[in-house]
Amino acid sequence: PQFAWTKLLSSAMRGARSGETMRIKRPARCLLVVLAALRSFPCSAFVAKSLAPRPAPARAKRFGPLRSAEADLTPEELESLNPKRPKIQWYPGHIAKAERQLAEYMKCVDIVIEVRDARIPFSTTHPMVSTWIGSKPHIVVFNRKDCAPAVAVTHWRKHFVDLAKQSESEGSPGKPIFAFNAKAQEGVHEIKKACLQLGAHVNEKREKKGLLPRAIRIAVIGFPNVGKSALINRLLGRKMARSADTPGVTRQLTWIRLGKGRDGADIELLDSPGIIPAKQVDQRAAEALAMCNDIGVASYESEHVASALIERIVDVAKASDGTYVDVEQVVRRCDGFDPFLFVEEGGTAEEYLHKLADRRHRGDLYGAANRLMNDFRKGMFGPATLEVPPWMREQKQEQQAREEAVDTVQLKSSRRSGKADSLDLKTFGVGNFEGW
């Protein structure tokens, strides 16, 4: 074939030099010669590689092959089901630009409203806010309070109020904290009243200087998709700022004038894009942002975040004694497949997600992960908060330590008196042996 290919090519070149049109007497035979020659051509390796069956996607490699719910997993397989999750990083260009501009806008702002997500109030706290604000009045708003248990909102407000009092004693100004529900417009009047009270000093100073009063300038800042634009629309009483349940909708800083209301005061609101740290150092906080859809979808994989969500729900339910998470509603939404019992018995979150995919989605891991996260985001699990104040964990650890100490003392005293058989075995977590 190589000889035939060379002969055909040389005859074509001779025809091109002489200006004559090459006529092929047997086109079918020549086509077969060309195809046979291509097999020995260097590009044949590339063609073969492109036609070869593609390997499994990277997601399947990280999580391992899909397994049925009844399969017995070896220790090696269980270890492969709990891989090290990739880091979540998201810092688009419009956020970097807005962060640079925000430092300049802060110079002409009178009050700052920081909006946080009531489901993850700690993870939606930007570490640079105190640096940007300085000594300006600072208001904190917990949005989506309808998506979080009332007891959790109360506990987190107490935590941040205590921190504000501590900073106030050290010379930093305190900050009022409000809970807000954009859907039912709960807390709008209180927030507006606080803004007018904190901004009254602006025109008082201007009046002393003989200047005319001006509008109170308020900047609304926070992480992406925490409800900044929704709060502005509620304060205005009409839809002026573009709002959607997706991070990255607001892409530039915009001034919106509220105008004179019944109180005769003017307010100008600065709507800003969601601003997050340039580098997500705390990956637990980054995972929490992904669970609540407060970060770009391109920065994470649904399977990893869904597994982290299962771990977080189980951990928070233990730490809060079930007050921060509706355990029964979660089990009911998972078709009776209890994640709390599954993890208690030694299973991993990744293994649970695989089995859930086999039960409900015919092994579709991506579909199972997306449905699990959408159920949480839409409130199908009931009100839930994914973070516990530090003081609550400390109290829980102290309580466990006291219970263990009491159990130890009872065990020692029973051994000394020789009455160990009469002890209630439930004290040691053994269970009820009635009827054995």
Side-chain angles (χ1 to χ4, degrees):
Q2 291 181 358
F3 175 76
W5 170 258
T6 306
K7 184 177 180 181
L8 183 64
L9 186 61
S10 61
S11 61
M13 292 178 66
R14 283 198 306 271
R17 283 195 297 267
S18 61
E20 298 177 357
T21 303
M22 187 183 71
R23 295 181 180 179
I24 301 176
K25 297 181 179 179
R26 299 177 180 177
R29 184 177 179 182
C30 291
L31 180 61
L32 292 175
V33 170
V34 171
L35 293 176
L38 283 175
R39 294 185 59 186
S40 59
F41 202 67
C43 70
S44 60
F46 173 77
V47 175
K49 184 178 180 180
S50 63
L51 294 178
R54 296 182 178 180
R59 182 172 66 247
K61 288 184 179 180
R62 282 193 291 272
F63 274 88
L66 297 178
R67 296 169 172 82
S68 63
E70 296 78 13
D72 295 327
L73 304 178
T74 63
E76 292 79 8
E77 291 174 333
L78 289 173
E79 185 177 359
S80 66
L81 282 175
N82 190 17
K84 184 178 179 181
R85 299 190 182 108
K87 291 185 177 181
I88 298 175
Q89 295 292 343
W90 189 65
Y91 195 66
H94 75 276
I95 291 183
K97 180 181 178 181
E99 187 172 351
R100 292 191 301 267
Q101 294 177 346
L102 189 62
E104 298 295 328
Y105 277 85
M106 282 295 176
K107 298 177 182 179
C108 59
V109 166
D110 304 316
I111 304 172
V112 176
I113 298 178
E114 183 188 1
V115 184
R116 300 176 186 174
D117 195 328
R119 298 170 295 179
I120 47 172
F122 178 76
S123 297
T124 49
T125 304
H126 200 292
M128 295 296 295
V129 168
S130 58
T131 304
W132 295 334
I133 294 176
S135 60
K136 297 180 184 296
H138 182 197
I139 298 175
V140 176
V141 175
F142 289 161
N143 190 24
R144 299 192 180 102
K145 78 169 189 176
D146 57 314
C147 299
V151 62
V153 175
T154 303
H155 287 168
W156 274 107
R157 284 184 67 176
K158 177 182 179 298
H159 173 70
F160 285 111
V161 166
D162 293 341
L163 291 180
K165 289 180 179 179
Q166 183 180 357
S167 63
E168 191 173 1
S169 63
E170 296 174 355
S172 300
K175 49 194 173 188
I177 300 175
F178 299 95
F180 172 66
N181 179 9
K183 296 180 181 178
Q185 301 187 21
E186 297 178 8
V188 178
H189 179 70
E190 291 80 3
I191 296 172
K192 186 176 180 180
K193 184 178 179 181
C195 291
L196 295 175
Q197 290 177 353
L198 293 174
H201 70 283
V202 175
N203 288 322
E204 289 177 0
K205 292 181 179 180
R206 293 178 63 87
E207 186 178 356
K208 291 179 181 179
K209 296 178 181 179
L211 300 175
L212 294 175
R214 65 166 176 81
I216 301 172
R217 297 165 184 163
I218 303 173
V220 182
I221 64 174
F223 275 66
N225 200 31
V226 294
K228 301 181 296 298
S229 299
L231 174 61
I232 291 176
N233 290 332
R234 295 307 180 188
L235 290 173
L236 293 172
R238 58 188 184 278
K239 188 172 181 180
M240 293 290 292
R242 187 182 174 191
S243 177
D245 189 16
T246 305
V249 173
T250 305
R251 305 184 70 87
Q252 60 184 0
L253 285 86
T254 308
W255 284 104
I256 302 175
R257 190 177 184 86
L258 180 57
K260 290 187 177 181
R262 295 178 181 178
D263 46 18
D266 281 353
I267 294 178
E268 289 183 352
L269 299 170
L270 177 62
D271 189 15
S272 63
I275 297 177
I276 63 174
K279 186 176 182 181
Q280 297 293 330
V281 179
D282 187 359
Q283 283 298 302
R284 281 184 60 84
E287 290 175 350
L289 294 174
M291 296 170 194
C292 297
N293 197 24
D294 294 341
I295 198 170
V297 181
S299 63
Y300 60 87
E301 294 187 9
S302 301
E303 298 89 336
H304 294 295
V305 176
S307 301
L309 176 61
I310 296 169
E311 291 179 355
R312 187 72 63 93
I313 288 176
V314 174
D315 177 64
V316 170
K318 289 181 181 178
S320 64
D321 293 329
T323 58
Y324 282 25
V325 177
D326 190 345
V327 177
E328 296 180 358
Q329 181 64 21
V330 172
V331 176
R332 192 181 305 113
R333 190 63 186 175
C334 294
D335 299 337
F337 188 28
D338 192 343
F340 306 94
L341 182 61
F342 188 87
V343 175
E344 282 282 344
E345 294 177 350
T348 62
E350 284 79 7
E351 183 183 358
Y352 175 84
L353 187 62
H354 275 81
K355 292 184 179 296
L356 187 66
D358 291 335
R359 284 170 174 253
R360 299 199 308 186
H361 299 273
R362 299 182 180 180
D364 184 7
L365 192 63
Y366 183 77
N370 275 339
R371 179 175 174 182
L372 192 71
M373 290 194 297
N374 287 332
D375 285 349
F376 167 73
R377 293 168 179 174
K378 294 179 180 179
M380 300 298 180
F381 289 164
T385 298
L386 300 180
E387 294 176 339
V388 177
W391 57 265
M392 179 177 285
R393 288 191 181 275
E394 294 174 0
Q395 290 180 357
K396 187 72 174 178
Q397 292 173 358
E398 292 176 359
Q399 180 182 356
Q400 291 177 353
R402 286 195 299 268
E403 292 177 354
E404 291 176 358
V406 170
D407 293 343
T408 304
V409 171
Q410 290 180 356
L411 180 61
K412 289 182 179 180
S413 62
S414 63
R415 286 177 177 175
R416 290 173 183 173
S417 60
K419 297 180 180 180
D421 296 334
S422 63
L423 285 174
D424 184 9
L425 293 177
K426 288 185 178 181
T427 306
F428 306 100
V430 179
N432 189 2
F433 285 79
E434 182 180 356
W436 281 34

